[in-house]
Amino acid sequence: MNLIIDAGNTYVKLAIFDRGLLKEKNVVDYNESNVVLTEVLDTYPNLDKAIVSSVGKYDAEVLKQAKPNLHIIELSHELTFPFKNKYATPKTLGVDRIALVCAAVEQYANKNVLIIDAGTCITYDFVNVENEYLGGAISPGIRLRYKSLNDFTANLPLLHTEMPELITGNSTQQSIHSGVVYGVIKEIDGVIEEYADNYSDLTVILTGGDAKFLSKQLKNSIFANSNFLLEGLNFILEYNTHL
């Protein structure tokens, strides 16, 4: 039984996998993560191993002190992965993106796969039929776009995500919703179409916190899986403990 900790830019996810299947998932703020970790460790005293992936400020020492006998792996570029990394600066590739690529290679081996992670940022990652990771793109996510409009202007309000009724907003608020949401939708559809024009039999995975919201709006065929990164982390844990 495996413990997966994914510490992102905004939230910490704590998940339990048993024989490859997701058994439990908790999504919490950073200030709640230690309390929830204690609850998870109490609920599952027979955990075998764990992996910690952090793009934020999560301290893996907390887990090491809470359960000293647990076999813990911290995700880094020093681990072994089942793909060839052709990124020009491989050591700068975010650990979250590495986990997504590993999930793609495990679940869609020898296929052209575009992974879109719609969270604080929207990341695009592409792995080809030869299991070569070629790179991708990074752009601001939905919430980041709303927040930027509020932070860097004098009068625009901070709004919650909302699907606009029309592309032509007839008020400031509706114009913001249209600009942010349709901007993201058209961006993602455009990126998918560009890849599809260049690579045959393209498989597209949409994941991340905004995956459910966006999956209903995109015109291109996708597989929506909000747990794709967690599945990739569990695969990395198994892959590196069975070598």
Side-chain angles (χ1 to χ4, degrees), residues 73-87:
I73 288 178
E74 293 186 59
L75 181 54
S76 74
H77 301 88
E78 305 304 318
L79 297 181
T80 302
F81 305 111
F83 64 90
K84 183 176 181 180
N85 191 345
K86 301 192 76 173
Y87 209 50

Side-chain angles (χ1 to χ4, degrees), residues 2 6 9 12 17 43 74-75 84-85 90-91 98-99 113-114 121-122 125 127 153 160 175 188-189 216 222 230:
N2 299 340
D6 169 34
N9 291 301
V12 178
F17 278 81
T43 303
E74 293 186 59
L75 181 54
K84 183 176 181 180
N85 191 345
K91 291 187 177 180
I98 289 174
V113 184
L114 176 65
C121 294
I122 301 172
D125 292 289
V127 58
T153 63
H160 294 291
S175 295
I188 293 176
D189 272 328
K216 302 173 184 177
I222 60 168
L230 294 174

Side-chain angles (χ1 to χ4, degrees), residues 14 32-44 62 66:
L14 300 98
E32 300 175 288
S33 60
N34 290 347
V35 173
V36 175
L37 174 62
T38 300
E39 294 172 352
V40 169
L41 293 177
D42 288 342
T43 303
Y44 300 96
V62 174

Side-chain angles (χ1 to χ4, degrees), residues 107-120:
Q107 299 181 32
Y108 303 93
N110 303 116
K111 291 186 177 181
N112 291 315
V113 184
L114 176 65
I115 313 112
I116 304 169
D117 185 4
T120 302

Side-chain angles (χ1 to χ4, degrees), residues 4-236:
I4 312 300
I5 298 179
D6 169 34
N9 291 301
T10 307
Y11 299 106
V12 178
K13 295 179 183 178
L14 300 98
I16 299 293
F17 278 81
D18 187 11
R19 299 174 186 176
L21 298 176
L22 180 62
K23 189 176 182 69
E24 180 179 329
K25 180 176 76 170
N26 298 277
V27 182
V28 298
D29 292 326
Y30 269 81
N31 57 11
E32 300 175 288
S33 60
N34 290 347
V35 173
V36 175
L37 174 62
T38 300
E39 294 172 352
V40 169
L41 293 177
D42 288 342
T43 303
Y44 300 96
N46 297 322
L47 288 170
D48 300 306
K49 49 189 180 288
I51 186 169
V52 178
S53 169
S54 177
V55 299
K57 53 185 182 293
Y58 188 84
D59 186 1
E61 288 298 321
V62 174
L63 175 59
K64 294 176 182 177
Q65 293 174 10
K67 200 171 181 63
N69 296 326
L70 187 64
H71 181 48
I72 302 169
I73 288 178
E74 293 186 59
L75 181 54
S76 74
H77 301 88
E78 305 304 318
L79 297 181
T80 302
F81 305 111
F83 64 90
K84 183 176 181 180
N85 191 345
K86 301 192 76 173
Y87 209 50
T89 54
K91 291 187 177 180
T92 68
L93 182 62
V95 291
D96 52 339
R97 298 174 74 186
I98 289 174
L100 292 170
V101 175
C102 285
V105 170
E106 181 204 14
Q107 299 181 32
Y108 303 93
N110 303 116
K111 291 186 177 181
N112 291 315
V113 184
L114 176 65
I115 313 112
I116 304 169
D117 185 4
T120 302
C121 294
I122 301 172
T123 60
Y124 301 86
D125 292 289
F126 179 72
V127 58
N128 66 17
V129 293
E130 297 173 342
N131 290 340
E132 296 174 325
Y133 174 70
L134 302 186
I138 304 172
S139 71
I142 290 177
R143 290 305 306 158
L144 197 53
R145 297 184 195 212
Y146 277 115
K147 193 171 186 304
S148 295
L149 289 173
N150 175 248
D151 286 347
F152 296 106
T153 63
N155 299 310
L156 294 181
L158 179 61
L159 305 178
H160 294 291
T161 304
E162 180 182 302
M163 187 64 201
E165 296 180 7
L166 299 170
I167 195 168
T168 305
N170 61 0
S171 68
T172 297
Q173 290 196 358
Q174 286 302 311
S175 295
I176 292 173
H177 287 310
S178 177
V180 170
V181 177
Y182 277 117
V184 168
I185 291 169
K186 297 303 181 183
E187 173 193 308
I188 293 176
D189 272 328
V191 170
I192 293 173
E193 289 169 8
E194 186 71 19
Y195 273 94
D197 287 342
N198 289 279
Y199 297 96
S200 61
D201 300 322
L202 181 70
T203 298
V204 181
I205 309 297
L206 178 65
T207 189
D210 289 323
K212 185 176 181 181
F213 172 77
L214 290 170
S215 65
K216 302 173 184 177
Q217 320 300 335
L218 298 172
K219 69 178 183 180
N220 284 285
S221 178
I222 60 168
F223 293 101
N225 181 351
S226 60
N227 298 318
F228 202 62
L229 193 151
L230 294 174
E231 293 167 1
L233 290 173
N234 187 64
F235 174 68
I236 292 170

